[in-house]
Amino acid sequence: MKESSSPERLKKMKELLQIERDEDFQQYKEQFLKASIEQRRKNGVTWYPVKINSEELGYADLLQLEVERTTHVDTPHQFNSGKNVTLFSNQNNNEVFELNATIKIASRNKLKILVHSDELPDWCYEGKLGINIQFDDNSYNEMQKALDEVINAKNNRVAELRELLEGNDALRFNKENESLVIPSLNLSQTRAVRKALAAEDLAVIHGPPGTGKTTTLVNAIRVCLQSEKQVLVCAPTNTAVDLLTEKLLEQGVTVLRLGHPARISEDLINSSVDGQVQNHLNYNEIKSLRKTAQENFRLAGKYKRVFGKEDAKQRQAYYTEAKTCLKDARMLEDYIVGDLFNSVQVICCTPVTSTNKALTKKRFNTLFFDEASQALEPMVWIPLLKCRRIILSGDHFQLPPVVKSLKADKAGLGITMLDRCIKFKNAVSLLNRQYRMNSPIMAFSNQYFYNNELEADSSVADHALTHEDDDSFFNKPIEFIDTAGCSFDEEQNPETLSSFNVNEGNLLLKHFQELVNWHSALDYTTSVDVGIISPYKEQVSWLKENISHYEINHDKISELRIKTIDGFQGEECDIIYISLVRSNAEQQIGFLGDLRRMNVAITRAKKKLVVIGDSATIGSNPFYKSFIEYCEVNGFYRSAWEIIG
């Protein structure tokens, strides 16, 4: 065995993680703690004032409120489902009234929140209410704890995995089952499943855009369950965990979806712990015990503070009976939950949720980890500590993890376990057939990132908006619209520091309007879904606010989504527009330099991709230079002047 350097690298990672946590908290303080309510509203981290529209008992017997902001309704905000928030009262400046909650559903001006209490305090009914986003460092604490355990591991499986994943020991594989054939999978997908099943330590399913990575992973899980009673399945986001849960249920696999009810999709609540407890045969007994407890608490509360000896005894009897009923209900619920954790085939959760107390002593043979390109390495170690081997699934050329500290990022915090494990060629299976994009849209990404190893399936290779004989630019699969020389200068919001470009936005919406009219005139049957993407939140906000100024024929549009690149991860549309925004004399491209994000953006389109940008600004970057050249060679390039007229 080689001399191990892994503890030193992991100790360095601990330091970087602390730098990242400090930077995250510093940004939170600047946006929140040091700012006035007015400034926090502008930063999108506070709603004030808000009103409570409704209250009802939600999942897991938690109180669910619908709150609505009544002013500043057009101000962009950072409230998302799953985030922890605080409901507060501004009634009394000398006394702080707060109530913790978690967002279930977030929309433009309304939130559904689950309150961590079974009843609302009186101050909630007295007005002057607001809601703040909380800083949550639980994930940092869990990552630090996991790293400590990995660093200090000796003479156990964790220590072995540490050295194997460091490359200090050779990975081991059993003989692959060549007779395994899965009719619904292609050859590269089937080989990836065979490799995953044969791995004793590690396997990597490398899934470029549109190659069916999640489908392959789900089939690997299903086949693995023929020899293993139970597996652990994780992904870094709740959206990805929900998708895995949904796909596994479709395959007839029994799944327990762990997580706060507010962070689980409404459609999958029956797969959650609370949902399955409520559907259990013994749940009516639990309900009856709780109802009796509630009644006894109510009867006890009828007694005033000043009463006689007999009254005191009676009050105590009610309280005792209530507590006994609650204790019995909890014991029965614990029994049901324990039975659930032992009987299901798959436990599905985010990495931090894998620290659930019910999993404290559980151990698994296999961890399946999806979207591994988006997870910091310490995040993957949290569930891996419970497992003997890991199957990573993802694409290191797509979305990286979010690292807020430039210092930590430059020092390597953003280098993921997938980034490091992709070098173990004997462990990696590339999925090489893609089912989303037509050949011209696929070709540039294929050439730039994937060594031309991808192949468009015959079902999508010739996808087009219309097969009419029309030689207009609208009928081309790709358009790069060059705004160089148009004086479409970018601007920056001084508060959010996010860039936007009004002229480019107007050009995009004008082109979109004309494209829809052209398609409607040529094709009388097919409707299309459309995605408009920008790397910059400010541009996304501008596009959302201004699209109504254009007369767009929505009769032929089945769906229209306007989002950032991160918001489009895992999604696809017939038509994708990308607004690059940056246009300046200094050739500064900032966020556009994150090529993995741009790879995600340009691979969302199935039939048509329209990219709008300033070649004079972006052309000095090798990626964009290559893309512009690809468009020029294939007749996909046009100047914005042609559209402006």
Side-chain angles (χ1 to χ4, degrees):
M1 186 171 96
K2 299 175 188 173
E3 186 179 344
S4 174
S5 58
S6 54
E8 289 310 310
R9 186 184 68 80
L10 293 167
K11 283 175 187 173
K12 176 68 176 173
M13 185 170 285
K14 269 200 75 179
E15 293 170 14
L16 297 180
L17 197 58
Q18 186 59 44
I19 291 170
E20 171 69 2
R21 189 254 175 222
D22 292 345
E23 174 63 25
D24 197 0
F25 186 60
Q26 186 61 35
Q27 289 184 21
Y28 171 79
K29 281 200 297 187
E30 286 170 6
Q31 282 191 316
F32 184 80
L33 297 179
K34 293 180 181 177
S36 64
I37 280 186
E38 186 58 38
Q39 189 59 50
R40 292 187 337 239
R41 276 195 296 217
K42 286 182 180 176
N43 290 340
V45 295
T46 292
W47 282 6
Y48 180 83
V50 300
K51 64 175 181 175
I52 298 174
N53 289 337
S54 64
E55 56 178 285
E56 59 184 341
L57 208 56
Y59 304 109
D61 293 333
L62 294 173
L63 199 60
Q64 180 172 288
L65 308 180
E66 182 184 86
V67 299
E68 181 179 3
R69 59 175 170 176
T70 53
T71 65
H72 300 76
V73 293
D74 294 323
T75 305
H77 64 79
Q78 298 181 37
F79 291 83
N80 296 312
S81 59
K83 280 195 174 180
N84 291 324
V85 293
T86 304
L87 187 68
F88 68 89
S89 169
N90 215 24
Q91 278 278 2
N92 188 338
N93 291 330
N94 300 320
E95 193 172 357
V96 178
F97 294 117
E98 291 184 338
L99 197 59
N100 292 332
T102 305
I103 299 173
K104 177 72 181 170
I105 300 171
S107 58
R108 188 181 178 89
N109 291 308
K110 291 180 182 178
L111 301 173
K112 281 193 175 175
I113 61 173
L114 291 181
V115 177
H116 305 165
S117 171
D118 53 5
E119 63 177 325
L120 288 181
D122 292 341
W123 56 262
C124 287
Y125 303 102
E126 293 166 6
K128 290 198 174 182
L129 295 178
I131 194 159
N132 291 325
I133 290 175
Q134 286 183 356
F135 180 75
D136 182 8
D137 62 358
N138 182 44
S139 60
Y140 290 110
N141 295 336
E142 293 299 341
M143 284 192 282
Q144 292 283 19
K145 277 161 57 179
L147 283 178
D148 282 336
E149 191 168 335
V150 179
I151 289 165
N152 297 318
K154 287 179 182 173
N155 303 319
N156 60 13
R157 183 56 179 164
V158 173
E160 288 174 5
L161 282 171
R162 181 188 66 208
E163 301 310 315
L164 286 159
L165 298 181
E166 200 69 28
N168 293 328
D169 292 337
L171 297 172
R172 298 160 302 168
F173 296 88
N174 296 315
K175 191 174 187 308
E176 290 185 26
N177 180 4
E178 299 290 341
S179 64
L180 175 65
V181 176
I182 302 170
S184 59
L185 300 187
N186 64 40
L187 183 58
S188 68
Q189 292 170 330
T190 300
R191 283 174 174 165
V193 173
R194 290 173 186 166
K195 174 78 75 177
L197 297 175
E200 288 194 22
D201 313 298
L202 163 77
V204 177
I205 299 173
H206 180 196
T211 55
K213 169 180 60 66
T214 302
T215 299
T216 305
L217 187 70
V218 164
N219 274 280
I221 294 166
R222 182 181 59 79
V223 178
C224 180
L225 287 167
Q226 293 173 6
S227 57
E228 295 180 23
K229 187 187 171 206
Q230 191 178 69
V231 298
L232 183 60
V233 175
C234 288
T237 66
N238 281 290
T239 304
V241 176
D242 282 342
L243 178 63
L244 283 165
T245 302
E246 189 181 311
K247 299 283 187 190
L248 286 163
L249 289 171
E250 286 171 5
Q251 292 281 337
V253 175
T254 58
V255 184
L256 188 59
R257 166 67 166 100
L258 299 192
H260 191 291
R263 298 187 177 102
I264 300 173
S265 161
E266 292 276 356
D267 297 335
L268 299 172
I269 210 71
N270 284 339
S271 298
S272 70
V273 175
D274 299 307
Q276 294 201 37
V277 166
Q278 288 177 18
N279 290 326
H280 197 275
L281 291 171
N282 297 110
Y283 184 65
N284 283 338
E285 192 177 339
I286 294 173
K287 266 175 74 176
S288 176
L289 286 164
R290 283 184 179 152
K291 191 175 178 184
T292 304
Q294 206 168 15
E295 179 63 16
N296 277 287
F297 275 128
R298 187 186 67 78
L299 291 169
K302 282 188 170 184
Y303 288 90
K304 308 297 180 193
R305 288 189 176 276
V306 181
F307 43 67
K309 215 175 197 179
E310 287 303 312
D311 288 343
K313 280 172 71 176
Q314 186 59 54
R315 184 186 192 209
Q316 188 57 45
Y318 282 134
Y319 272 133
T320 302
E321 178 61 20
K323 287 174 183 175
T324 301
C325 287
L326 282 179
K327 184 182 175 186
D328 290 347
R330 272 195 299 270
M331 283 176 65
L332 186 53
E333 189 167 356
D334 286 346
Y335 168 77
I336 294 171
V337 169
D339 188 46
L340 280 175
F341 274 89
N342 287 327
S343 60
V344 294
Q345 293 173 291
V346 172
I347 292 175
C348 216
C349 59
T350 59
V352 172
T353 310
S354 71
T355 60
N356 183 298
K357 65 177 183 180
L359 291 179
T360 304
K361 293 182 179 178
K362 281 192 80 70
R363 293 296 176 265
F364 305 85
N365 189 57
T366 309
L367 167 64
F368 290 91
F369 201 107
D370 199 14
E371 301 294 1
S373 69
Q374 295 180 57
L376 293 173
E377 182 179 343
M379 189 64 79
V380 183
W381 276 111
I382 297 172
L384 185 50
L385 292 172
K386 302 177 182 298
C387 306
R388 293 194 59 79
R389 66 171 183 157
I390 181 169
I391 313 301
L392 291 171
S393 174
D395 179 13
H396 55 302
F397 294 126
Q398 292 191 63
L399 286 187
V402 175
V403 178
K404 295 185 176 180
S405 164
L406 196 59
K407 181 180 177 183
D409 197 29
K410 281 186 173 177
L413 182 62
I415 297 171
T416 65
M417 188 179 285
L418 179 65
D419 290 328
R420 295 197 311 102
C421 290
I422 207 83
K423 68 189 179 195
F424 301 131
K425 300 300 181 189
N426 60 336
V428 179
S429 301
L430 174 71
L431 308 182
N432 62 14
R433 183 173 292 272
Q434 73 84 18
Y435 298 88
R436 174 184 299 154
M437 300 159 270
N438 61 35
S439 295
I441 294 173
M442 178 193 75
F444 177 71
S445 176
N446 190 19
Q447 164 196 314
Y448 198 90
F449 293 102
Y450 304 108
N451 300 315
N452 285 321
E453 292 185 72
L454 304 186
E455 186 180 319
D457 188 70
S458 58
S459 62
V460 300
D462 299 320
H463 259 172
L465 281 181
T466 175
H467 290 288
E468 297 276 345
D469 187 16
D470 188 294
D471 61 357
S472 71
F473 255 102
F474 290 137
N475 207 25
K476 292 181 184 287
I478 301 175
E479 288 181 62
F480 174 70
I481 302 173
D482 189 358
T483 64
C486 295
S487 298
F488 282 9
D489 296 338
E490 68 189 59
E491 300 174 65
Q492 189 183 64
N493 183 320
E495 290 170 359
T496 64
L497 301 181
S498 181
S499 298
F500 64 106
N501 192 318
V502 172
N503 288 323
E504 184 175 293
N506 278 316
L507 178 68
L508 185 155
L509 295 175
K510 183 176 190 289
H511 184 282
F512 178 35
Q513 176 182 296
E514 292 174 0
L515 174 67
V516 173
N517 288 339
W518 166 84
H519 184 253
S520 299
L522 275 183
D523 190 310
Y524 298 99
T525 56
T526 312
S527 62
V528 291
D529 51 1
V530 182
I532 301 177
I533 302 175
S534 179
Y536 293 93
K537 286 181 181 176
E538 203 66 37
Q539 186 76 343
V540 168
S541 298
W542 187 92
L543 288 162
K544 284 180 177 178
E545 287 168 15
N546 289 275
I547 194 168
S548 60
H549 300 159
Y550 287 79
E551 291 182 13
I552 291 163
N553 180 1
H554 286 272
D555 291 345
K556 302 301 289 292
I557 300 173
S558 55
E559 191 175 359
L560 173 62
R561 285 166 270 169
I562 307 176
K563 298 181 181 181
T564 61
I565 296 173
D566 290 40
F568 257 98
Q569 170 73 353
E571 296 188 16
E572 60 188 27
C573 286
D574 295 313
I575 303 169
I576 287 287
Y577 279 87
I578 303 173
S579 174
L580 296 178
V581 175
R582 302 309 296 264
S583 181
N584 57 74
E586 297 76 30
Q587 296 185 317
Q588 295 290 320
I589 66 168
F591 203 44
L592 298 186
D594 189 340
L595 303 185
R596 291 181 293 182
R597 277 191 163 79
M598 288 313 302
N599 186 37
V600 170
I602 65 174
T603 56
R604 300 303 98 192
K606 294 190 282 186
K607 298 176 180 177
K608 184 170 181 68
L609 173 67
V610 183
V611 181
I612 305 177
D614 181 351
S615 65
T617 299
I618 64 175
S620 60
N621 179 283
F623 172 84
Y624 295 101
K625 183 172 183 285
S626 297
F627 179 71
I628 294 166
E629 287 171 355
Y630 172 75
C631 291
E632 287 174 335
V633 167
N634 290 282
F636 303 149
Y637 173 94
R638 67 191 300 202
S639 169
W641 289 110
E642 297 174 37
I643 301 166
I644 297 167

